[in-house]
Amino acid sequence: MAASLTLAVSTVIFALRPHPETAHPALWLPLVRRIRSPHKGLWALPGGPLGPAEDLAASAARNLRETTHLAPRYLEQLYAFGRPDRSDDRTVSIVYWALVHADEASAGLETENVRWFLADALPPLAFDHSLIVEYALWRLRNKMEYSRIAAAFLGETFTLSELREVHEVVLERDLDPANFRRQVESTGLVVPTDEFRTGGRHRPARLYRHDHSIELADNGPLSGR
Amino acid sequence: MAASLTLAVSTVIFALRPHPETAHPALWLPLVRRIRSPHKGLWALPGGPLGPAEDLAASAARNLRETTHLAPRYLEQLYAFGRPDRSDDRTVSIVYWALVHADEASAGLETENVRWFLADALPPLAFDHSLIVEYALWRLRNKMEYSRIAAAFLGETFTLSELREVHEVVLERDLDPANFRRQVESTGLVVPTDEFRTGGRHRPARLYRHDHSIELADNGPLSGR
DNA sequence: AAAATAGTGTCTATGAGACACTATCTG
DNA sequence: CAGATAGTGTCTCATAGACACTATTTT
């Protein structure tokens, strides 16, 4: 049995980067071009075989680093895909999803076979990767509503407007600034600092930071895994 | 790589059966005794290697049937466990969890190496199976609060008291009958019939049935998988 | 009639959301 | 001062929960 089955780990990596037209933040993800059959030439999720003594999450983080030269700010297992017809060679893929903070350096690291795409304008993907991305987007949006994973897209400190914008971009809808502020403040998961963001042509906004003692998302008994 | 790695599918199977002391319904799950090393003699989750052309969920359902002689009323992927130190022989386990309706027939099918245990009084389990069961319980309780999976524990028709009792047993807390009734009725996922459950020394209760056109739980883009 | 559960009515506290308003910066 | 966003106040509506009450059966 073992000899006829391949176990791979793939990762759906999300980052916020400016939209090329509007310059507003948008959701992007990196894909790699397949350089061999099957589906040669098509874009696919970064991933590869699991190392002999490698943890699943470590394998996802390694692929993420090799593809984007970034470290994951949030990493969570998505699902295991194993339908016999999903590839020619009976591959079971354990898929993770990750949030990264895409800085300017990493943005220039695209190559012939690694390219970032707008999440809402993806090319046709190899295998069942289109379904996988769709599911990852669903999970991301779900989790954005009841956890603090938005923090993974931001720096150490941020204004409430910046935090709200992350939510708005991911959820694809506008949020009321007043209500958003109250909701975030009432959780106590965000801590005001003494500093302000100046520079806009308007009143400076107070900077906040996240309470690091609390995890970005509650994954129950698996939180430490 | 493939030759040194084993992929197994295991399943956490839940059923409601009477508690041996109180006779009230309680949460049970079946375990199988390991008959070989490692952890020989310890109880473990039912499972086994994935068939060469077998779907992951089909493998879980097969193991479930072979262990309990029952068909799953609800089946969902739980998580893939793959820490290198979780077993001696580098096994990655893709774990499912299932709800079954344990009838009288299946209850008598215990053998020397298959036994049902109360979910809150499990023996020490092999490998990381204790953690896995803990996580499955967490997911079950979570999902019980916002989906209709309770239906999987009941027959075609049921009273709202019976439905409430399922929730109470799983969530381990009492629910207000009046509020529970209104919440369930307001979802529209439950349909009143013209029949009543008589026999108690009290007013007969109307029987309801579930709307089969709606899935027990919303798993997003994966609902059909 | 008593006991028990079925089922209804209603009050309160809480939170989401709409939206008007004030505050304070830049240009 | 005009324009913009920061930040506050407040109203409404929907929902969760507590709990009193009525309805209908069996014994």
Side-chain angles (χ1 to χ4, degrees), chain B residues 29-177:
Chain B
L29 52 89
L31 298 173
V32 298
R33 196 198 305 268
R34 283 190 59 81
I35 54 176
R36 68 185 64 170
S37 241
H39 299 289
K40 182 176 173 179
L42 279 185
W43 294 95
L45 293 170
L50 180 68
E54 194 176 36
D55 186 33
L56 298 172
S59 179
R62 175 176 56 78
N63 276 308
L64 193 160
R65 189 175 60 249
E66 289 169 359
T67 305
T68 64
H69 303 271
L70 294 168
R73 303 283 293 270
Y74 181 74
L75 182 66
E76 179 186 311
Q77 191 178 300
L78 180 67
Y79 201 73
F81 295 85
R83 276 174 61 137
D85 59 353
R86 65 183 294 273
S87 76
D88 303 333
D89 64 340
R90 189 48 167 145
T91 296
V92 170
S93 289
I94 297 178
V95 180
Y96 279 74
W97 63 287
L99 306 184
V100 300
H101 188 116
D103 53 15
E104 308 70 29
S106 70
L109 285 174
E110 292 197 334
T111 66
E112 171 73 13
N113 294 320
V114 175
R115 190 185 299 172
W116 287 78
F117 293 85
L118 279 166
D120 60 3
L122 296 180
L125 302 190
F127 308 110
D128 51 1
H129 290 192
S130 292
L131 172 72
I132 294 175
V133 170
E134 191 188 349
Y135 184 46
L137 270 166
W138 184 81
R139 272 271 269 278
L140 166 62
R141 289 180 174 135
N142 256 321
K143 217 128 193 172
M144 184 70 60
E145 307 222 50
Y146 64 85
S147 79
R148 341 176 353 248
I149 54 169
F153 284 132
L154 295 170
E156 177 63 17
T157 59
F158 49 86
T159 67
L160 293 188
S161 288
E162 290 163 354
L163 184 63
R164 176 168 51 86
E165 187 172 44
V166 171
H167 283 253
E168 288 178 338
V169 166
V170 170
L171 298 178
E172 295 182 302
R173 71 165 187 268
D174 289 343
L175 300 173
D176 183 283

Side-chain angles (χ1 to χ4, degrees), chain A residues 52 54 77 80 90 135 222, chain B residues 52 54 77 80 90 135 222 225:
Chain A
E54 193 175 38
Q77 191 179 300
R90 190 49 168 145
Y135 184 45
L222 258 41
Chain B
E54 194 176 36
Q77 191 178 300
R90 189 48 167 145
Y135 184 46
L222 258 40
R225 313 282 287 196

